[in-house]
Coordinates of all heavy atoms in Angstrom, one line a residue:
T2 N 12.3 -9.0 19.6 CA 11.5 -7.8 19.3 C 10.3 -8.2 18.4 O 10.5 -9.0 17.4 CB 12.4 -6.8 18.6 OG1 13.5 -6.5 19.4 CG2 11.6 -5.5 18.3
A3 N 9.1 -7.7 18.7 CA 8.0 -8.0 17.9 C 8.1 -7.3 16.6 O 8.6 -6.2 16.4 CB 6.7 -7.5 18.7
T4 N 7.6 -7.9 15.5 CA 7.6 -7.4 14.2 C 6.2 -7.5 13.6 O 5.3 -8.2 14.1 CB 8.6 -8.2 13.3 OG1 8.0 -9.5 13.0 CG2 9.9 -8.4 13.9
P5 N 5.9 -6.8 12.5 CA 4.6 -6.9 11.9 C 4.3 -8.2 11.2 O 3.2 -8.5 10.7 CB 4.6 -5.7 10.9 CG 5.8 -4.9 11.2 CD 6.8 -5.8 11.8
A7 N 4.3 -11.5 12.0 CA 3.3 -12.5 12.6 C 1.9 -12.0 12.5 O 1.0 -12.8 12.1 CB 3.8 -12.8 14.0
P8 N 1.6 -10.8 12.9 CA 0.2 -10.4 12.8 C -0.3 -10.3 11.4 O -1.5 -10.6 11.0 CB 0.1 -9.0 13.5 CG 1.5 -8.6 13.7 CD 2.3 -9.8 13.7
D64 N -7.0 -11.5 19.0 CA -5.7 -10.9 19.0 C -5.7 -9.5 18.4 O -4.8 -8.7 18.5 CB -4.7 -11.7 18.2 CG -4.3 -13.0 18.9 OD1 -4.6 -13.1 20.1 OD2 -3.7 -13.9 18.2
F65 N -6.9 -9.1 17.8 CA -7.0 -7.9 17.1 C -8.2 -7.0 17.6 O -9.2 -7.6 18.0 CB -7.2 -8.1 15.6 CG -6.0 -8.7 14.9 CD1 -5.7 -10.0 14.9 CD2 -5.1 -7.8 14.2 CE1 -4.6 -10.5 14.2 CE2 -4.0 -8.3 13.6 CZ -3.7 -9.7 13.6
I85 N -6.1 -3.3 14.5 CA -4.9 -3.2 15.4 C -4.6 -4.5 16.1 O -5.5 -5.1 16.7 CB -5.1 -2.0 16.4 CG1 -5.3 -0.7 15.7 CG2 -3.9 -1.9 17.3 CD1 -5.7 0.4 16.6
H86 N -3.3 -4.9 16.0 CA -2.9 -6.1 16.7 C -2.6 -5.6 18.2 O -1.8 -4.8 18.4 CB -1.6 -6.6 16.1 CG -1.2 -7.9 16.7 ND1 0.0 -8.1 17.4 CD2 -1.8 -9.1 16.7 CE1 0.1 -9.3 17.8 NE2 -0.9 -10.0 17.4
L87 N -3.4 -6.2 19.1 CA -3.4 -5.7 20.4 C -2.1 -5.8 21.2 O -1.7 -4.9 21.9 CB -4.6 -6.4 21.2 CG -6.0 -6.1 20.7 CD1 -7.0 -7.0 21.4 CD2 -6.3 -4.6 20.9
K88 N -1.4 -6.9 21.0 CA -0.2 -7.2 21.7 C 0.9 -6.3 21.3 O 1.7 -5.7 22.2 CB 0.2 -8.6 21.6 CG 1.4 -9.0 22.4 CD 1.8 -10.5 22.3 CE 3.0 -10.9 23.1 NZ 3.3 -12.3 23.0
T89 N 1.1 -6.0 20.0 CA 2.2 -5.2 19.5 C 1.8 -3.8 19.2 O 2.6 -2.9 19.0 CB 2.7 -5.8 18.2 OG1 1.7 -5.9 17.2 CG2 3.2 -7.2 18.5
T90 N 0.4 -3.5 19.1 CA -0.1 -2.2 18.6 C 0.2 -1.9 17.2 O 0.0 -0.7 16.8 CB 0.2 -1.0 19.6 OG1 1.6 -0.7 19.4 CG2 -0.1 -1.4 21.0
Y91 N 0.7 -2.8 16.4 CA 0.8 -2.6 15.0 C -0.5 -2.3 14.4 O -1.5 -3.0 14.6 CB 1.5 -3.7 14.3 CG 3.0 -3.7 14.5 CD1 3.7 -4.8 15.1 CD2 3.8 -2.7 14.0 CE1 5.0 -4.8 15.3 CE2 5.2 -2.7 14.2 CZ 5.8 -3.8 14.8 OH 7.1 -3.8 15.0
K92 N -0.6 -1.3 13.5 CA -1.8 -0.9 12.8 C -1.8 -1.4 11.3 O -0.7 -1.2 10.7 CB -2.0 0.6 12.9 CG -3.3 1.1 12.3 CD -3.7 2.5 12.9 CE -2.7 3.5 12.4 NZ -2.9 3.9 11.0
F93 N -2.9 -1.9 10.9 CA -3.0 -2.4 9.5 C -4.1 -1.6 8.9 O -5.3 -1.7 9.3 CB -3.2 -3.9 9.5 CG -2.1 -4.7 10.0 CD1 -2.0 -4.9 11.4 CD2 -1.1 -5.2 9.2 CE1 -0.9 -5.6 12.0 CE2 0.0 -5.9 9.7 CZ 0.1 -6.1 11.1

Side-chain angles (χ1 to χ4, degrees):
T2 303
T4 72
D64 290 345
F65 291 85
I85 299 171
H86 187 244
L87 295 173
K88 184 176 180 180
T89 62
T90 70
Y91 280 116
K92 184 161 66 76
F93 297 84

